[in-house]
Amino acid sequence: FTIGAALTGNVSGEAGTDTFTFNENLTGNASGAAGADSFTLSGGTVGGVVDGGADADLLTLDNVANTIAVTGAGSGTATGTGGFSTLEAITGNAAADAFSFANAGSLAGEIDGAGGTSDSLTGDADGNVFVVTGAANTGTLVTKTSGWSNIENLTGGATIDTFTFNENLTGNASGAAGADSFTLSGGTVGGVVDGGAAADSLTLNNVANTIAVTGAGSGTATGTGGFSTLEAITGNAAAD
């Protein structure tokens, strides 16, 4: 399906693989039914719900600053739509995309920030385990999504979050509330490591680290673009 002129109503696929491209606006719902369906916003919007139906379905958003809130299992809200349901994966675009998860939110597939340098991922309020692994700005967030890529900034939630950097994150890592821990394990943080509230700790890589505490809980440390609102720092086996 290609929506090339504004359309009032709904569009629905069938049992096989369906592709939906929205060059113009659809006022109603877009439903994939069964099959691995794809929905692409390319200048148009969906006023109703994008419903993937069964199988592994993908929503690719327009080239604008998108806000995606995953509030249920495969469901939530996204810029350019009236909401989504039974989706497995979401891809942003070249602008700054902001992904977030509510406590009940999850995606069976992956999220992809696509292009841009200011994409963000915010976890839920139940405690999050972020691991940057496999490649720069790529990693896992267990129980929330099978993986994420092209995300430059990570933010935790209201309780204890752990961040492990096996690969590089080019942006910021923020713990928000809770006693959060940040561990450099081969990777670096190009931006600021911000502990947020509570007793937060930073463990550095196994290199000769230089740590300068220049303010209350703030300063500079090897492998980071700086740190703020931290309470403890641990070096490693080399000379710190």
Side-chain angles (χ1 to χ4, degrees):
F1 299 85
T2 299
I3 309 301
L7 179 64
T8 299
N10 306 307
V11 292
S12 298
E14 295 184 342
T17 298
D18 304 304
T19 62
F20 301 79
T21 303
F22 301 93
N23 299 329
E24 297 288 345
N25 297 345
L26 175 74
T27 61
N29 302 320
S31 304
D37 308 308
S38 64
F39 305 82
T40 301
L41 305 187
S42 182
T45 62
V46 178
V49 174
V50 175
D51 181 6
D55 299 305
D57 308 302
L58 168 68
L59 169 63
T60 300
L61 298 172
D62 217 337
N63 191 16
V64 298
N66 296 291
T67 300
I68 305 97
V70 185
T71 56
S75 63
T77 61
T79 301
T81 77
F84 62 88
S85 61
T86 57
L87 285 180
E88 284 68 42
I90 301 177
T91 297
N93 219 301
D97 304 307
F99 297 85
S100 66
F101 286 91
N103 289 356
S106 64
L107 288 175
E110 298 189 356
I111 62 173
D112 183 354
T117 58
S118 299
D119 303 302
S120 64
L121 171 59
T122 301
D124 66 19
D126 280 342
N128 303 278
V129 178
F130 295 95
V131 180
V132 183
T133 187
N137 299 326
T138 298
T140 60
L141 179 56
V142 294
T143 75
K144 299 281 97 178
T145 174
S146 67
W148 49 269
S149 59
N150 298 304
I151 301 288
E152 292 78 29
N153 303 284
L154 301 176
T155 300
T159 53
I160 297 172
D161 305 301
T162 65
F163 300 78
T164 302
F165 302 93
N166 300 329
E167 297 284 350
N168 298 345
L169 184 77
T170 58
N172 301 318
S174 305
D180 309 306
S181 63
F182 304 82
T183 301
L184 305 187
S185 183
T188 62
V189 179
V192 174
V193 175
D194 181 8
D200 309 300
S201 65
L202 169 63
T203 300
L204 298 172
N205 264 321
N206 191 15
V207 299
N209 295 291
T210 300
I211 305 99
V213 184
T214 57
S218 63
T220 61
T222 302
T224 77
F227 62 87
S228 61
T229 58
L230 286 181
E231 284 67 43
I233 301 177
T234 300
N236 220 302
D240 303 310

